[in-house]
Amino acid sequence: MKYWNPSCECMSRDEMTKLQTERLIETVKRVYHNVPLYREKMQKKGIEPGDIKTLDDLKKLPFTYKDDLRDTYPYGMFAAPLSEIVRIHASSGTTGKPTVVGYTRKDIDTWSEVTARTLVSAGADKNSLIQVAYGYGLFTGGLGIHYGAERIGASVIPISGGNTKRQIQIMKDFGTTILACTPSYALYMAEVMEELGIKKEDLKLKAGVFGAEQWSENMRKEIEERLGIIAIDIYGLSEVIGPGVSTECYCKCGLHVQEDHFIPEIIDPETGEVLPPGSKGELVFSTITKEGIPLLRYRTRDISSLNYEKCECGRTTVRMSKVSGRTDDMLIIRGVNVFPSQIESVLLEFGDTAPHYLLIVDRVDNLDVLEIWVEMNQQLFSDQVKKIEDSEKKIRKAIEETLGISATVKLVEPKTIERSEGKAKRVIDKRKF
Ligand code: DLL
């Protein structure tokens, strides 16, 4: 099977423009009438739904930011009543509060459709055995891919993340053909396989759908070689729908955006101006079929570019380049989105530390590790070593409970972390992307 839905994936540009325009107009009406924040934002700009007539009018619309979701936490941006919402997911916000997204039954249907397209473009069909090792839960990775896999009639193995030896055992015994997880986890699995003496020839694995974090071409080569598979990059974000927003095909030259559901733009992150095709900038999405939480011009903070040329695979949808970075300080550690500000607020809850800290992120044996250095205050410094160790433990536990990631915490002497005269440098990321 080459495409899941050729009528949408291979549509002519004219047809796509017509469809997007109709859907955009409907979405603008929906949010104007159902979401007070959008009505206010549009009124501030002096525009009404009737002003949006063509795709070119998209640029008149206001941007949406992660903070808008936070400020209206939890349901303020929902455009459907809770009685119509059948699923809720959430991801990290810039502070303690997560950003919450809701799906109507139709949204779940759309999501299954776009993740089905994703899996098919990685070579899946109804004979595939798809091992979903993305986390299940509030994170969109696990359930998003799960529904797409069921939609195409493949057999899903909903193992979720973690328990690596068991993952490998199951992969071997069940004859998994497609692995879905973060690229760093795939590499870690390859390593554990080698330790267990399991060879790639012992597996039936053919492809992997890897995403949720940034990864390089070198990393792709390594995964492909060590697991003997084709590694496909898949992209998405909870606010827009989850995985399924865009995906590579076997040509591996950009990720096809599911344009009949999401309109991408590339903007200059400083001025907000729309940039021409091919320019690098911040990726912005407008959802045009979602009911639960439709978003206009959502600022992803991800850096990419757009290519409208037809792809060799036959799909006509625009391709975004592999995400090459972010315009903000969000880190993705073992697939979990983490803002330094969230760590800071945990640190500040403890009376015996000073607000000077450094986050050191590295990749050891293909796994992301986080080390937090934080200055202790004078009083703790003059205490016994035992007390300092207890504080480190307390902080580590609090970080794990609040952010869901493990970290090594090191309390350092007062005034040892370099002070800055401008923007504080709080993160040292030693990972190579
Ligand atoms: O990570 C959704 C997802 C799940 C995508 C599984 C792919 C596979 P969030 O937790 O909301 O959603 O995080 C979204 O992750 O803005 C990017 O910064 C980053 N990201 C996601 N996919 C990729 C990718 C899921 N393929 C944030 N390459 C996004 C680079 C990615 N970064």
Side-chain angles (χ1 to χ4, degrees):
M1 191 174 8
K2 206 166 165 200
Y3 315 107
W4 174 248
N5 189 340
S7 65
C8 296
E9 294 174 81
C10 308
M11 201 180 254
S12 74
R13 184 51 47 192
D14 282 352
E15 276 176 295
M16 183 63 85
T17 304
K18 189 165 167 275
L19 183 68
Q20 287 182 326
T21 310
E22 286 164 13
R23 291 181 168 179
L24 176 67
I25 291 172
E26 281 313 305
T27 300
V28 172
K29 278 191 208 151
R30 183 177 181 88
V31 297
Y32 187 87
H33 294 297
N34 296 357
V35 186
L37 182 115
Y38 275 124
R39 195 158 50 245
E40 276 163 37
K41 274 183 186 258
M42 285 175 64
Q43 280 166 351
K44 249 193 215 148
K45 284 193 141 233
I47 48 170
E48 286 186 351
D51 297 325
I52 307 302
K53 297 188 189 81
T54 66
L55 285 190
D56 210 36
D57 294 330
L58 188 61
K59 58 176 180 291
K60 293 184 188 160
L61 290 166
F63 289 120
T64 312
Y65 301 87
K66 210 177 180 73
D67 273 355
D68 290 325
L69 281 108
R70 195 199 68 192
D71 295 344
T72 54
Y73 174 87
Y75 305 134
M77 296 208 50
F78 283 18
L82 275 182
S83 56
E84 283 177 31
I85 298 292
V86 299
R87 177 94 64 79
I88 291 170
H89 282 280
S91 79
S92 317
T94 44
T95 63
K97 282 183 193 163
T99 49
V100 181
V101 290
Y103 303 71
T104 63
R105 206 170 287 287
K106 181 176 163 236
D107 293 334
I108 295 286
D109 188 60
T110 305
W111 196 13
S112 313
E113 160 74 20
V114 291
T115 46
R117 292 182 198 172
T118 299
L119 291 165
V120 170
S121 67
D125 61 23
K126 64 187 172 88
N127 300 310
S128 304
L129 273 132
I130 304 180
Q131 183 158 336
V132 184
Y134 285 113
Y136 280 65
L138 286 181
F139 177 56
T140 52
L143 282 165
I145 299 295
H146 184 110
Y147 273 55
E150 284 192 349
R151 172 65 58 96
I152 61 179
S155 315
V156 194
I157 307 167
I159 190 163
S160 194
N163 210 340
T164 312
K165 284 189 182 152
R166 188 158 158 260
Q167 295 267 1
I168 294 165
Q169 193 68 47
I170 283 186
M171 199 142 62
K172 183 166 167 267
D173 296 348
F174 291 15
T176 302
T177 58
I178 293 188
L179 174 64
C181 63
T182 58
S184 52
Y185 194 45
L187 259 188
Y188 181 61
M189 281 199 204
E191 202 173 87
V192 176
M193 253 171 66
E194 283 155 24
E195 278 167 28
L196 295 173
I198 296 178
K199 295 194 203 65
K200 57 186 177 190
E201 293 78 21
D202 300 332
L203 304 179
K204 297 220 167 66
L205 215 53
K206 290 197 184 96
V209 280
F210 304 128
E213 64 185 9
Q214 206 185 318
W215 55 308
S216 60
E217 285 302 331
N218 283 340
M219 198 158 157
R220 180 189 333 248
K221 260 194 226 125
E222 202 175 326
I223 297 176
E224 291 191 328
E225 242 168 66
R226 289 171 79 170
L227 289 176
I229 57 171
I230 148 168
I232 293 291
D233 190 3
I234 69 167
Y235 169 88
L237 58 163
S238 336
E239 295 86 337
V240 173
I241 203 156
V245 175
S246 68
T247 181
E248 280 179 338
C249 58
Y250 61 82
C251 302
K252 298 184 222 167
C253 52
L255 292 84
H256 290 274
V257 177
Q258 307 305 342
E259 274 188 279
D260 48 332
H261 297 285
F262 319 109
I263 305 180
E265 295 171 279
I266 292 287
I267 63 157
D268 176 329
E270 300 296 324
T271 62
E273 185 200 345
V274 180
L275 300 177
S279 323
K280 237 183 182 189
E282 183 182 336
L283 190 56
V284 168
F285 281 107
S286 299
T287 69
I288 49 172
T289 49
K290 265 172 65 184
E291 295 180 335
I293 178 162
L295 295 179
L296 299 179
R297 308 190 82 200
Y298 183 71
R299 305 276 300 250
T300 65
R301 304 290 179 197
D302 292 319
I303 298 170
S304 180
S305 61
L306 295 174
N307 176 359
Y308 284 87
E309 282 163 29
K310 191 173 166 182
C311 179
E312 260 178 49
C313 75
R315 289 179 183 80
T316 49
T317 40
V318 65
R319 281 167 288 159
M320 56 178 258
S321 63
K322 228 171 164 17
V323 171
S324 63
R326 289 191 52 93
T327 65
D328 65 5
D329 56 359
M330 185 177 91
L331 295 161
I332 303 184
I333 300 174
R334 293 199 190 186
V336 180
N337 302 351
V338 179
F339 288 93
S341 54
Q342 291 174 296
I343 296 182
E344 180 176 303
S345 57
V346 173
L347 295 177
L348 293 180
E349 280 170 23
F350 292 88
D352 39 16
T353 55
H356 299 290
Y357 63 92
L358 196 61
L359 310 178
I360 302 161
V361 195
D362 205 349
R363 196 161 271 165
V364 178
D365 298 334
N366 296 313
L367 277 186
D368 295 337
V369 288
L370 168 65
E371 198 171 292
I372 303 173
W373 291 14
V374 57
E375 283 182 13
M376 49 194 142
N377 61 21
Q378 208 60 48
Q379 200 190 337
L380 180 64
F381 182 48
S382 39
D383 264 321
Q384 301 150 339
V385 176
K386 167 94 179 56
K387 186 134 190 259
I388 297 174
E389 283 172 359
D390 283 350
S391 288
E392 285 175 342
K393 265 192 218 145
K394 252 192 328 201
I395 298 176
R396 195 172 59 223
K397 194 159 167 258
I399 296 279
E400 203 163 322
E401 277 168 4
T402 327
L403 301 174
I405 50 163
S406 54
T408 313
V409 176
K410 220 164 115 179
L411 284 169
V412 297
E413 286 179 27
K415 302 206 169 57
T416 45
I417 290 177
E418 201 186 330
R419 304 292 190 257
S420 98
E421 291 176 347
K423 251 180 187 297
K425 184 155 174 52
R426 303 234 187 255
V427 180
I428 299 178
D429 199 337
K430 297 181 177 165
R431 296 173 296 182
K432 287 187 185 63
F433 292 112

